[in-house]
Amino acid sequence: MEKKRKIIVVGGGAAGMIAAISARRLGADVTILEKNPRVGKKILATGNGRCNFTNINADAGYYHGKNPKFIYSALSNFTVDDTIRFFEKLGIAHKVEDFGKVFPMSDQASSILDVFLYELNQLGVKTVCDANVKDIRKNGKFIIELEDGKVYKGDRVIVTTGGKAMPSSGSDGSGYDLAAKLGHTIIDIFPALVQLKLEGPFFKRLDGVKFVGTAEIIHNNKSVAKDRGDILFTNYGVSGPPILQISRKAGELLNAGQEAHLKITIMDMVPKEELRTFLKKRWQISSSKPLDFSLVGFINKRLIPVVLMEAGIDNAGRSVASLSAKEQERIIDILTDWRFRIRGTRSWSSAQVTAGGVDTREINQDTMESKLVKGLFFAGEIIDIDGQCGGFNLQWAWSSGFIAGQNATL
């Protein structure tokens, strides 16, 4: 009788748990080594605690990295439909919301973790928590050494340690060191899906101001990333879904020592010419009003003094009648094209995902096996692939993890 293949999964997050289930279902002897006191901690924080576990629109256009097309094979071998069926069999009824986001019907991220824990237990996957892996080496078999001196041996190893984003969930980037020791190249990592820090003296005054508008990353006077939605000013700069979506491009530029600017369009629903006509008419009607008061009811009150100051108008209380054509034009410019120099992104603790990671050129895209070390596999965020907000990163974890688990049994 053939001996069961012994597989060690390093990291018990989304990719690690599905890899373990996938391998165990094919008859392997599977052990998960998780550094946290429990597996799946990060899953509980996803989708604001609701777990947006996939997106019906998932394709390469929603992913980043040196080679986003690397995802094609995994996503076609374990598709969004496969993901939904996988979770349905575990007991997760689903619903599709705006922009193709898929959530459990229960609206609880804990449901996803609960069914995972049940399945791992039913299958007999061994889970070792508080297991901090210090070293992985290969000497015929793989030898995995923990910080506390314990040693595990396996025929195959799947590394699913995640990145550095959300360190409170246990993500500390230790997997990159393990991969590098095994000879792998690590593409520079930086925070993604993260808020932006901007230059300017007035952000404390704007803290909490929210509006619907368009945000763009500008590099060399060209728009290189763009999104629309709720934008929130903070005491350090800006936040909100559109900012998170375009933040990856800002991080990439800053990481490469390039300058990046943010363009915000507060009034993005009408062409500039229409806005000009509207405001000139409004100012004619209210010519005796103080200038700042003339914009009440048009834009957020707390924005008014800052917009006027940015337009070079010091005395916001002077009458509308005293407004010159040049000053009018500058106000219109700020409302349609307000530029800020980006001085950085927020730190890892604020980021939802890690950009960069293990170089995809050194991984077989069909199997997730290392091209450098036979029997070593990678899955999830540790690889140089990151997705946009909306369930794309979890879909990458499921697809890459499932494929790695299957192929590790061969």
Side-chain angles (χ1 to χ4, degrees):
M1 188 175 139
E2 194 181 340
K3 197 179 170 194
K4 282 184 183 175
R5 192 162 315 275
K6 194 168 176 57
I7 296 173
I8 308 291
V9 180
V10 182
M17 288 191 291
I18 200 167
I21 288 169
S22 168
R24 182 69 185 127
R25 283 178 179 174
L26 291 175
D29 178 335
V30 184
T31 301
I32 296 174
L33 301 179
E34 168 55 49
K35 71 182 299 180
N36 279 321
R38 60 183 295 190
V39 295
K41 190 174 177 185
K42 197 170 181 180
I43 285 174
L44 296 174
T46 59
N48 290 324
R50 293 173 61 215
C51 195
N52 173 196
F53 70 92
T54 186
N55 193 299
I56 59 170
N57 302 312
D59 68 39
Y62 292 93
Y63 291 90
H64 308 282
K66 293 284 184 193
N67 178 23
K69 290 180 180 174
F70 179 82
I71 71 158
Y72 275 138
S73 184
L75 253 68
S76 59
N77 284 309
F78 191 75
T79 65
V80 171
D81 286 342
D82 291 332
T83 298
I84 289 169
R85 277 194 295 272
F86 173 88
F87 282 107
E88 272 178 351
K89 283 178 183 170
L90 296 188
I92 300 294
H94 76 283
K95 56 182 176 177
V96 182
E97 296 190 3
D98 293 350
F99 310 111
K101 295 175 182 177
V102 182
F103 291 89
M105 201 81 86
S106 64
D107 276 330
Q108 288 180 300
S110 58
S111 304
I112 299 281
L113 184 53
D114 288 344
V115 298
F116 260 128
L117 294 173
Y118 182 84
E119 185 71 1
L120 290 167
N121 187 50
Q122 288 293 106
L123 290 171
V125 171
K126 294 182 277 297
T127 302
V128 183
C129 292
D130 295 310
N132 201 347
V133 174
K134 180 175 122 182
D135 191 34
I136 302 171
R137 55 190 184 275
K138 190 178 182 189
N139 186 8
K141 284 187 180 294
F142 284 94
I143 298 154
I144 298 95
E145 190 182 339
L146 306 190
E147 290 282 1
D148 63 8
K150 283 183 188 154
V151 172
Y152 289 82
K153 292 182 180 179
D155 305 306
R156 302 279 188 270
V157 170
I158 308 174
V159 180
T160 59
T161 48
K164 281 191 83 169
M166 287 178 65
S168 60
S169 69
S171 302
D172 61 0
S174 58
Y176 302 123
D177 294 333
L178 296 172
K181 278 184 191 172
L182 288 159
H184 276 275
T185 306
I186 309 300
I187 303 297
D188 279 356
I189 61 167
F190 56 90
L193 299 184
V194 67
Q195 304 87 348
L196 296 177
K197 297 193 283 189
L198 306 177
E199 276 190 4
F202 42 74
F203 290 108
K204 282 184 180 167
R205 291 167 70 184
L206 293 180
D207 190 21
V209 171
K210 188 163 89 170
F211 62 95
V212 177
T214 299
E216 298 176 62
I217 303 297
I218 305 292
H219 177 59
N220 289 338
N221 284 321
K222 285 183 186 165
S223 176
V224 291
K226 181 177 181 178
D227 203 45
R228 182 177 193 273
D230 285 337
I231 296 170
L232 176 71
F233 278 114
T234 65
N235 60 12
Y236 54 79
V238 272
S239 183
I243 301 299
L244 300 190
Q245 294 287 40
I246 65 174
S247 64
R248 204 243 190 233
K249 194 65 193 176
E252 188 183 305
L253 289 166
L254 295 169
N255 202 51
Q258 306 278 315
E259 270 210 3
H261 289 81
L262 178 71
K263 171 185 170 181
I264 285 180
T265 307
I266 297 171
M267 292 290 140
D268 65 348
M269 292 297 284
V270 293
K272 192 171 182 179
E273 194 49 54
E274 274 184 43
L275 177 65
R276 185 181 288 112
T277 303
F278 173 84
L279 278 176
K280 282 181 182 282
K281 193 173 178 185
R282 185 181 176 98
W283 282 325
Q284 274 175 352
I285 294 166
S286 58
S287 61
S288 61
K289 285 182 179 178
L291 181 52
D292 51 3
F293 194 74
S294 75
L295 294 172
V296 170
F298 178 62
I299 59 173
N300 187 299
K301 272 193 285 195
R302 288 176 57 204
L303 274 174
I304 295 170
V306 177
V307 166
L308 294 176
M309 181 183 76
E310 284 286 279
I313 297 164
D314 296 329
N315 182 5
R318 62 189 242 226
S319 74
V320 171
S322 68
L323 201 59
S324 71
K326 271 189 179 176
E327 287 172 329
Q328 288 180 11
E329 206 54 39
R330 286 204 297 266
I331 293 169
I332 293 161
D333 284 343
I334 296 294
L335 295 174
T336 55
D337 185 350
W338 197 358
R339 305 267 176 130
F340 306 86
R341 185 169 177 274
I342 302 170
R343 59 185 179 88
T345 66
R346 294 272 272 170
S347 67
W348 291 111
S349 58
S350 301
Q352 290 181 22
V353 74
T354 307
V358 178
D359 194 332
T360 55
R361 290 174 299 183
E362 299 167 355
I363 301 170
N364 183 320
Q365 65 181 9
D366 298 322
T367 64
M368 298 294 126
E369 185 175 14
S370 164
K371 292 178 181 178
L372 310 182
V373 182
K374 191 168 173 52
L376 174 68
F377 294 78
F378 295 99
E381 197 177 340
I382 189 170
I383 300 172
D384 177 30
I385 290 289
D386 58 286
Q388 293 189 9
C389 273
F392 300 104
N393 286 295
L394 274 178
Q395 181 57 52
W396 169 241
W398 311 137
S399 293
S400 59
F402 193 88
I403 299 306
Q406 272 191 332
N407 285 282
T409 64
L410 301 177

